[in-house]
Amino acid sequence: MPGNRTIISQAGRNLFTKPSNLTSNGNLTGQWLPGNLPIRGVNLGSLFIVEPWMASNQWSNVIGCGGQNSEFDCVQHLGQSTANSKFAQHWSDWITQGDISTMVSYGLNTIRIPVGYWIWESLKYDSEYFPEGGLDYLTKVVGWASDAGMYIIIDLHGAPFAQQGQQPFTGQMAATPSDSNPDFYQSSQYQRALWFLGNMTNYIHTNNAYRNVGMLEVVNEPLAQQNDLTQSMRQSYYPDAFSTIRNVESSLGISSNNYLHILMMDALWGSGDPTQYLSDNYFAAYDDHNYVGFSGVNPTQADYLAYSCADNRGGNWPVVVGEWSLIVANQNDPQFLVNGANIPWFQKWFNAQVRVYEKQDGWVFWSWKTDLGDARWDYQDAVSAGIIPKDLNSIYDSNPCS
């Protein structure tokens, strides 16, 4: 496929060698993308934007912000200097080079890294409180992943003034966006996000540690509704995001087959068709988030499995299912507890979801690591529990949907 290249680790290993029992989908082409799909990855959730619900021990005992709701609140509470020191400790603890090696040993080939716009500290207002120093550690992480031969997605997870209200994943507990209080959905904040995208694009193409970054996501999980705010995003911010990224690449002399894939939430998310106002969607890609347990499916083992077996994540093309998990609606229901009796069902459900997502361009599980002790959210725990196989190709040895 044009624009593809082989990604090789420092040890000469190709993590994207397609096994013979996998059918070819061959959807994506482009910069840094391997010739063989699927993407099989994990999110580095709570690394650069800590979500207290999933990292409670780290939040309270390492960072020292128990009782605070977001990174903004935490830094304001601790003071900038103390916060910088505490977050540096968190970054060094939460994801290590050993984690990257373990991911590779589990058959994973991709990481998605959620970051906030404040990782570029010049974009912060004086009235904003966020940790400083994250960019250096991001460079370490992408360097480890590149050396290991992994593919990397960088995701603008926390947008200026917050794309959703009362959500710690944005880094702040902002009010819910509205016409009178648009938060992210206004030109001044779009401009800050565009600066983030321009800076990050330049860094990706000029810093060798970032050589395996192939996708840049312009905003994670905007409002899942169609209204004046999301129309403004689709009509103004999305086209300007494309122009900003491509203009930087043009200025650097990057050939078109080495462009970044520009990642947007797909139409299934609910914000409208991301392509509606794009005049050029060359090397665009689309992010689908599919938490079945939150989708309203009748919460029984049989119904969850049937839903996943019949699921179709197509629509915009090409699609990567960038967030999903094994979480359920009734987490304390005996049929959904992670125990010996239920492990075979969780194995089938994981298998069914992966089969659906690999009909697209692959998947990125949320998340690699948590403090929850819950294999339904935590990839490492799910492997330890025997739910997820270390040999991911083995899911094609049996079909839970037949």
Side-chain angles (χ1 to χ4, degrees), residues 218-239:
V218 299
V219 64
N220 173 73
E221 294 192 354
L223 293 171
Q225 53 194 265
Q226 295 187 52
N227 57 22
D228 290 345
L229 299 178
T230 53
Q231 178 169 327
S232 162
M233 176 186 69
R234 298 193 315 275
Q235 189 169 11
S236 175
Y237 176 60
Y238 281 177

Side-chain angles (χ1 to χ4, degrees), residues 106-321:
Y106 288 174
L108 298 167
N109 55 33
T110 299
I111 55 173
R112 177 175 178 257
I113 308 178
V115 300
Y117 68 94
W118 58 90
I119 206 160
W120 293 98
E121 292 158 18
S122 62
L123 297 181
K124 289 198 306 177
Y125 291 156
D126 291 342
S127 58
E128 293 179 326
Y129 298 90
F130 292 108
E132 299 170 344
L135 185 62
D136 288 343
Y137 199 77
L138 174 63
T139 302
K140 284 186 180 180
V141 173
V142 298
W144 295 334
S146 293
D147 289 348
M150 301 190 85
Y151 184 68
I152 303 162
I153 302 167
I154 292 180
D155 151 42
L156 178 55
H157 212 73
F161 273 24
Q163 68 271 33
Q164 285 201 42
Q166 302 297 299
Q167 287 285 4
F169 76 72
T170 68
Q172 53 193 304
M173 299 298 286
T176 300
S178 65
D179 289 341
S180 61
N181 181 36
D183 291 343
F184 170 62
Y185 304 92
Q186 54 185 308
S187 60
S188 60
Q189 302 315 310
Y190 291 160
Q191 188 60 51
R192 286 207 289 170
L194 296 173
W195 287 335
F196 166 90
L197 296 173
N199 288 342
M200 190 59 71
T201 300
N202 182 75
Y203 220 58
I204 289 167
H205 284 297
T206 60
N207 188 318
N208 187 57
Y210 290 74
R211 63 191 179 274
N212 283 7
V213 177
M215 284 188 187
L216 182 56
E217 185 157 15
V218 299
V219 64
N220 173 73
E221 294 192 354
L223 293 171
Q225 53 194 265
Q226 295 187 52
N227 57 22
D228 290 345
L229 299 178
T230 53
Q231 178 169 327
S232 162
M233 176 186 69
R234 298 193 315 275
Q235 189 169 11
S236 175
Y237 176 60
Y238 281 177
D240 287 348
F242 267 75
S243 296
T244 295
I245 292 167
R246 297 301 183 229
N247 287 342
V248 170
E249 291 175 323
S250 178
S251 72
L252 293 172
I254 304 299
S255 62
S256 61
N257 68 327
N258 284 315
Y259 281 172
L260 289 168
H261 283 285
I262 300 175
L263 190 62
M264 299 166 287
M265 298 299 298
D266 65 355
L268 290 176
W269 174 249
S271 300
D273 182 357
T275 69
Q276 181 178 1
Y277 297 102
L278 296 181
S279 59
D280 178 9
N281 61 355
Y282 180 73
F283 278 17
Y286 304 94
D287 187 6
D288 178 52
H289 293 182
N290 190 38
Y291 292 103
V292 177
F294 300 150
S295 67
V297 176
N298 186 43
T300 69
Q301 289 187 358
D303 287 322
Y304 278 148
L305 185 59
Y307 177 89
S308 292
C309 286
D311 202 2
N312 179 0
R313 308 314 298 175
N316 298 112
W317 175 87
V319 167
V320 176
V321 181

Side-chain angles (χ1 to χ4, degrees), residues 20-168:
S20 60
N21 61 340
L22 269 164
T23 58
S24 175
N25 48 6
N27 292 340
L28 274 174
T29 61
Q31 193 250 7
W32 314 129
L33 201 80
N36 292 321
L37 297 168
I39 283 172
R40 291 169 168 173
V42 285
N43 282 276
L44 305 191
S46 278
L47 177 57
F48 294 110
I49 304 180
V50 182
E51 300 184 43
W53 69 271
M54 64 179 285
S56 57
N57 179 66
Q58 196 81 353
W59 188 244
S60 296
N61 298 324
V62 175
I63 300 173
C65 273
Q68 304 301 314
N69 294 319
S70 70
E71 290 204 356
F72 187 110
D73 300 315
C74 176
V75 174
Q76 188 174 30
H77 170 72
L78 293 176
Q80 192 69 59
S81 178
T82 299
N84 290 349
S85 176
K86 294 290 188 179
F87 275 92
Q89 183 179 351
H90 160 69
W91 297 325
S92 65
D93 289 346
W94 193 248
I95 297 293
T96 68
Q97 191 168 14
D99 285 292
I100 301 296
S101 297
T102 302
M103 293 171 198
V104 171
S105 75
Y106 288 174
L108 298 167
N109 55 33
T110 299
I111 55 173
R112 177 175 178 257
I113 308 178
V115 300
Y117 68 94
W118 58 90
I119 206 160
W120 293 98
E121 292 158 18
S122 62
L123 297 181
K124 289 198 306 177
Y125 291 156
D126 291 342
S127 58
E128 293 179 326
Y129 298 90
F130 292 108
E132 299 170 344
L135 185 62
D136 288 343
Y137 199 77
L138 174 63
T139 302
K140 284 186 180 180
V141 173
V142 298
W144 295 334
S146 293
D147 289 348
M150 301 190 85
Y151 184 68
I152 303 162
I153 302 167
I154 292 180
D155 151 42
L156 178 55
H157 212 73
F161 273 24
Q163 68 271 33
Q164 285 201 42
Q166 302 297 299
Q167 287 285 4

